[in-house]
Amino acid sequence: LSGLPCACLFRVWLAVRVCGVAAATMVFKEKVRLVDREDALHDVNVVRNKAKRSEIVKKIKKKKNAAKKVEKEKRQKLLKEQGLPLPKPQTIDSLRTGDVTFVEEEDPEIIEDECNDEFAEFLAGEDPPNILMTTCPKPSKATHDFVKELECVFPFSVYKKRKETTLVSQVIDYANEQGHTAVLIVNEDVKQVDALTLIHLPHGPTLSFKLTSLRLSRQIFGHGKALKESFPEI
């Protein structure tokens, strides 16, 4: 080639360029035709460019979804013409098998149990709560501070100091006379609050709560001020 004149070299170079462009055009046309083939997803890997390959895959899937939609509309139209009901779509709820442990909302046994429940009136919330709070005999300062916190937590409560000789039964009798719905007793051990006793009036039940790692609101960084007029949802 070094002995050929410049004109011949130019013609050879031009022929090579034209053949390369033609071959590239044929390859590009072959890649474009992938969209129209049924097995295009299997042959799409021949496209080396990742962006072009993703674009071709999207076009293929879009075309298949459109074809499925047309077929579905044809089937629904045929069923309507024949007067047949349309098939229900398959969902998780429709495919779920029955479970005997599940209870229906209108189950007659459940309704009867709720009517005969001894705590039905209490759970209905017809009477507003009215709590009488007191402490153990000879409470410490830590117990008094905790009771002040509870007064903000339960705005529908009243605190009464308890004498050393006052029994729990006497506290309950007093609460019934005053129309309270519950009695909350704060207990302590070694001058530290350790338990709460909640007695629902007039017939119970009685609940006991153990307290550990107690921190008051003023001991919490960035605490807010509790409002006694608010009614928290607890």
Side-chain angles (χ1 to χ4, degrees):
L1 294 176
S2 59
L4 296 176
C6 295
C8 293
L9 291 175
F10 177 75
R11 290 177 182 176
V12 172
W13 175 82
L14 184 61
V16 171
R17 291 286 296 175
V18 170
C19 293
V21 171
T25 303
M26 292 176 64
V27 172
F28 177 75
K29 289 182 179 180
E30 181 66 23
K31 294 175 182 178
V32 172
R33 293 195 194 99
L34 289 175
V35 181
D36 299 328
R37 294 170 55 182
E38 295 182 357
D39 58 344
L41 287 176
H42 299 283
D43 298 337
V44 74
N45 291 326
V46 299
V47 182
R48 298 300 181 91
N49 188 285
K50 183 177 180 180
K52 291 292 183 182
R53 186 167 62 249
S54 300
E55 183 179 354
I56 293 174
V57 170
K58 289 180 180 179
K59 290 181 179 179
I60 294 172
K61 290 184 177 180
K62 184 177 180 180
K63 184 178 179 181
K64 287 187 175 182
N65 292 335
K68 288 182 180 178
K69 185 176 180 181
V70 172
E71 292 293 332
K72 182 179 179 180
E73 292 177 353
K74 289 182 179 178
R75 291 195 301 267
Q76 292 180 351
K77 185 178 180 181
L78 182 61
L79 291 175
K80 288 182 179 179
E81 292 177 354
Q82 297 176 356
L84 300 176
L86 297 178
K88 295 183 179 180
Q90 293 183 352
T91 60
I92 296 177
D93 293 333
S94 62
L95 298 177
R96 182 182 290 116
T97 57
D99 191 349
V100 294
T101 61
F102 283 11
V103 180
E104 299 180 357
E105 296 182 358
E106 302 298 332
D107 192 293
E109 295 183 1
I110 300 299
I111 296 175
E112 185 179 357
D113 291 341
E114 291 179 352
C115 294
N116 299 329
D117 188 6
E118 57 182 346
F119 300 115
E121 297 180 358
F122 170 70
L123 296 176
E126 297 177 356
D127 297 330
N130 187 4
I131 301 176
L132 173 63
M133 290 194 303
T134 187
T135 61
C136 58
K138 299 178 64 175
S140 62
K141 184 178 182 299
T143 302
H144 282 295
D145 294 340
F146 181 65
V147 170
K148 290 181 181 179
E149 295 280 340
L150 289 180
E151 286 182 319
C152 297
V153 174
F154 303 107
F156 35 78
S157 61
V158 177
Y159 171 61
K160 294 293 182 180
K161 293 182 179 180
R162 180 179 172 184
K163 297 181 180 179
E164 297 182 15
T165 58
T166 305
L167 302 177
V168 176
S169 59
Q170 295 174 342
V171 174
I172 294 174
D173 293 339
Y174 174 79
N176 285 323
E177 292 175 359
Q178 298 298 321
H180 294 285
T181 59
V183 175
L184 182 64
I185 302 175
V186 182
N187 301 315
E188 67 175 27
D189 184 27
V190 197
K191 296 185 178 181
Q192 295 293 331
V193 180
D194 67 335
L196 293 176
T197 302
L198 180 62
I199 305 172
H200 184 259
L201 302 177
H203 305 297
T206 300
L207 304 176
S208 296
F209 303 93
K210 190 71 175 178
L211 299 181
T212 57
S213 304
L214 180 63
R215 296 182 63 185
L216 302 181
S217 60
R218 65 173 180 270
Q219 298 173 334
I220 301 175
F221 177 77
H223 70 88
K225 184 178 180 181
L227 301 177
K228 194 173 182 179
E229 292 79 11
S230 62
F231 288 85
E233 296 181 4
I234 55 175

